[in-house]
Amino acid sequence: MEIKQKLEEIGLTGKKADVYLAILQLGKATVVQIAKKAQIKRPTTYDILEDLIAKNLISQSFSGKKRYFVAEPPKALKSLVKQQEQKIDQLMPELTSLFNINPHKPKIRYFEGREGIVQIYEEILKMETKEQFYIGSIQEMVDVLGRDYMESWVKRRIKAKIISHAIRIKSKEMPIGEWSAGKEYLRELKFFPANIKEDITNLIIFDNKVAIVSGLAEGYGVIIESKELATTLKYIWRVVWGVSKSK
């Protein structure tokens, strides 16, 4: 197996391997010398050199106005492999959560920040059952996603003919309007029997999925796809609905 092919296998793909080999052979060299040796255009060589510096495979120095590059000892390549292993380790929790060897195993997906929470709400609009069971605070979702987005989302929910069964917190309630109960809003609405002042996560049950969405302070969301969990939480939701207040 050629040296270049081996370098490509550990991450120095394409012309990066050519530039790295050229520097190894030249020793201390300018970008013009390296580009000529590697038979690569100078602008491309500059980009590759910056990448190799970032990978700690080469270093640079200056003599007057000239910029020189020199390769680090080849054992520095081991650090490149370690960097790849670290990236894999960072990905492992998320990849493990997606791995579904058991067809009945719940699927768990994690979302972060406003963009992630928007993805959750957009997925809710694509539900098949056209019915959601909600517990939480509209005010907190407005704080996270913005009033314009939430107003637009409610209109799209109504257009999609999705019925909302909502249990909300009276002390964190929004003004009347699209947040109200009524047939025109396709919403049943009750309020928690207790006056909750603490921040709580929002819970949305739809299809065979459960979405958990935090407020602005923590800014995360989770969707768990599990028929058993969705069924269990619907029963709990109905118990809370039974003791909640209409006004």
Side-chain angles (χ1 to χ4, degrees):
M1 187 182 293
E2 294 184 0
I3 293 177
K4 181 181 176 181
Q5 186 177 348
K6 291 180 179 179
L7 289 173
E8 288 177 341
E9 288 179 356
I10 63 171
L12 295 184
T13 56
K15 299 183 185 300
K16 292 179 185 179
D18 293 323
V19 171
Y20 179 69
L21 289 172
I23 299 173
L24 279 177
Q25 295 173 66
L26 289 170
K28 187 177 180 181
T30 65
V31 67
V32 174
Q33 293 170 323
I34 296 167
K36 184 177 180 180
K37 179 72 174 176
Q39 298 182 343
I40 298 172
K41 292 181 180 179
R42 195 186 307 177
T44 303
T45 304
Y46 268 117
D47 292 339
I48 293 173
L49 289 170
E50 293 298 336
D51 184 71
L52 294 177
I53 290 172
K55 287 181 168 63
N56 297 316
L57 296 179
I58 67 171
S59 58
Q60 61 181 330
S61 62
F62 293 87
S63 178
K65 294 183 179 180
K66 284 192 175 183
R67 185 183 183 190
Y68 291 91
F69 300 88
V70 62
E72 295 293 336
K75 65 180 181 181
L77 286 167
K78 291 183 178 181
S79 68
L80 183 62
V81 176
K82 288 182 179 178
Q83 290 173 22
Q84 291 175 330
E85 290 177 349
Q86 289 172 355
K87 289 179 180 178
I88 293 172
D89 288 340
Q90 292 170 359
L91 279 171
M92 198 56 64
E94 188 172 352
L95 293 175
T96 301
S97 71
L98 294 173
F99 181 60
N100 192 21
I101 192 169
N102 181 350
H104 302 294
K105 177 184 176 183
K107 295 178 182 178
I108 303 172
R109 288 173 287 150
Y110 179 80
F111 303 82
E112 192 168 1
R114 182 185 183 278
E115 291 183 1
I117 294 173
V118 165
Q119 290 181 48
I120 292 175
Y121 270 78
E122 292 301 312
E123 183 167 332
I124 292 170
L125 291 177
K126 298 174 184 177
M127 72 171 72
E128 296 178 1
T129 56
K130 301 297 182 182
E131 191 174 33
Q132 70 167 16
F133 298 84
Y134 173 86
I135 295 178
S137 165
I138 287 294
Q139 179 63 64
E140 287 184 5
M141 286 301 92
V142 168
D143 290 343
V144 173
L145 299 174
R147 181 158 188 152
D148 289 344
Y149 175 82
M150 286 304 300
E151 288 180 351
S152 169
W153 186 88
V154 170
K155 290 175 182 177
R156 289 186 289 145
R157 176 184 64 76
I158 295 169
K159 185 176 181 180
K161 298 181 180 179
I162 296 171
I163 299 170
S164 177
H165 307 283
I167 302 172
R168 300 212 298 251
I169 302 170
K170 189 71 173 178
S171 61
K172 298 183 178 182
E173 187 57 6
M174 293 292 293
I176 60 172
E178 61 270 19
W179 318 109
S180 302
K183 291 183 179 179
E184 66 270 37
Y185 300 114
L186 297 183
R187 182 187 292 115
E188 286 187 308
L189 175 61
K190 283 189 176 183
F191 297 98
F192 264 111
N195 186 15
I196 299 173
K197 295 181 180 180
E198 297 85 0
D199 292 339
I200 66 169
T201 57
N202 291 264
L203 181 73
I204 308 105
I205 309 164
F206 63 104
D207 291 342
N208 289 325
K209 302 175 184 178
V210 176
I212 301 168
V213 183
S214 77
L216 190 62
E218 297 186 357
Y220 73 92
V222 178
I223 291 181
I224 304 171
E225 190 170 348
S226 165
K227 184 177 181 179
E228 288 184 7
L229 179 62
T231 300
T232 300
L233 289 178
K234 280 180 188 177
Y235 279 116
I236 295 173
W237 183 94
R238 289 189 177 101
V239 171
V240 178
W241 177 266
V243 297
S244 295
K245 302 175 181 179
S246 298
K247 293 182 180 180

